[in-house]
Amino acid sequence: MSRIGVFGAGYVGLVTGACFADLGHDVTVRDVVPEKIDALERGEVPIYEPGLGELLERSAPRLRFTLDVHDAVEGADFLYVCVGTPPTYSGDADLSAVWTVIDELQGSVSGSGALVVMKSTVPVGTGEKVRAALDARGLEGVGYVSNPEFTAEGTAVRDFMYPDRIVVGSFDEADGDAVAALHEGIDAPVVRMDVPSAEMVKLASNAFLMTRISFINEIANVCEATGADVVKVAEAVGLDHRLGPHFLRAGIGYGGSCFPKDSLALKQLAANSGYHFQLLNAVIEVNELQKRRVIAKLEKHLGKLRGRRVALLGLAFKPHTDDMREAPSLVLASRLIAEGAEVRCWDPVADASGLLSGVVRCATPLEAAEGADAVVVVTEWPELADLDLAALRAAMRTPLLVDGRNFLDPDAAQAAGLVYEGIGRASQSSFAALPETPETAASDLRR
Ligand code: UDX
């Protein structure tokens, strides 16, 4: 069994560390945030990720946490870089955390044996730069391998243990063999290649998934205009074995820690190399517009939104995570507030306080819906499948339900007296007369 130092105790680092420890390796996870390390040492999990708590507990005998870089490097065979690479103002990936780790490693690794493994998502060419930096320091004996992660939040532990493939990009055959062998116990094809290609696999995979989402969202928008139902369309399209059913759920756009950042990074990577990546630009633009379409839907039924009360059900960028990074809910809530609407929200785990001001957080979906002129399903949390639609209708002031994820049953919603508006589905007729708010009444007088 090997000794592994993991740098970064975020989603990627914790899942990587815990899973390798579960496979029997000896793992030390190092982070620079003392509160995070303290919490982990107390057995607390600083992020919401299903299954991670149990895994950390189970692998505790082989898992340590530290603030000290030397603890993680000492005797380690593999040094996994799992730090964040957020976008900069230019859209390029910010590699400062990666370079800080590389600098620290250069000061701590002694000579040969250790292998630096890049799990953070980095632009193509980063590995070659790190290799050159290690060589310049006389660390030619320290290997470098690219081993990108493809785990999705909410299913990260399962994705790590049962991946579709393990990608290993190396400069040196033996280094690649060592990283491939580290994954023994995981039943998946190992795809070997050079370092730049491995870096590109990650960016290309994410870009393709985003392309599918923006594609189906555009089909949804055309469905809306032509009377087709995108849910049925996607089901049948997905049954074509050449296309497959995944990432064809129309909705209010993608968010999260990877897609928005990685699409910008790939766009900039291409642009910096003199190439205009037209398709990717369109994918990004479609997603930006998609997040705003809910506003138009609300206005179609309610008119001006000033003074209207809107309940957002779900805040996280997707269910089973508390991650608010690039969540469509943030754009939606900000637009609603800018239009003068009153926003109430519910989410079982995500907390937007500090990100959204002027939004009232409620303990239950029904509490959020109290006196609302519209309820918007923003994140398809399973809890919402059991929502009592009659009680929801009774709590609301105006019975408008915008299902931003096509998650609820339109017929059941209609039967409960709600006006249902999905994404890419035939729109139901609106209510005859709207109750007025003091603001709308006043603006009518001014007209
Ligand atoms: C993604 C990739 O799936 C993963 O391989 C990569 O390592 C990191 O980025 P993640 O961001 O955790 O993972 O979530 P994912 O489940 O892929 O969803 C991303 C976004 O796309 C969410 O906002 C989700 O709601 C949206 N989405 C997904 C759709 O709108 N429609 C779909 O059909 C699928």
Side-chain angles (χ1 to χ4, degrees), residues 150-153 213 247-249 254-255 258 317-318 405:
F150 302 99
T151 54
E153 287 176 25
I213 298 172
F247 283 72
L248 284 180
R249 275 181 288 114
Y254 60 75
C258 276
F317 81 95
K318 66 173 195 177
R405 299 290 177 180

Side-chain angles (χ1 to χ4, degrees), residues 11 15 19 49-50 151-162:
Y11 284 93
V15 171
C19 289
E49 182 60 46
T151 54
E153 287 176 25
T155 53
V157 172
R158 192 189 67 202
D159 294 345
F160 191 100
M161 291 302 204
Y162 304 94

Side-chain angles (χ1 to χ4, degrees), residues 32 192 197 224 234 236 248 362 366:
V32 291
R192 300 282 297 273
S197 301
E224 257 169 41
L248 284 180
C362 302
L366 287 183

Side-chain angles (χ1 to χ4, degrees), residues 125-206:
T126 304
E128 284 172 345
K129 289 181 187 152
V130 175
R131 182 67 272 161
L134 292 169
D135 292 348
R137 281 277 194 109
L139 295 172
E140 291 88 351
V142 175
Y144 181 92
V145 171
S146 167
N147 175 216
E149 60 88 23
F150 302 99
T151 54
E153 287 176 25
T155 53
V157 172
R158 192 189 67 202
D159 294 345
F160 191 100
M161 291 302 204
Y162 304 94
D164 292 336
R165 76 302 208 190
I166 295 162
V167 173
V168 176
S170 64
F171 294 111
D172 177 272
E173 198 67 13
D175 291 345
D177 290 346
V179 172
L182 191 62
H183 291 81
E184 210 162 284
I186 296 179
D187 183 19
V190 177
V191 191
R192 300 282 297 273
M193 60 192 74
D194 58 278
V195 171
S197 301
E199 291 166 341
M200 184 55 101
V201 171
K202 170 65 190 252
L203 297 176
S205 301
N206 274 355

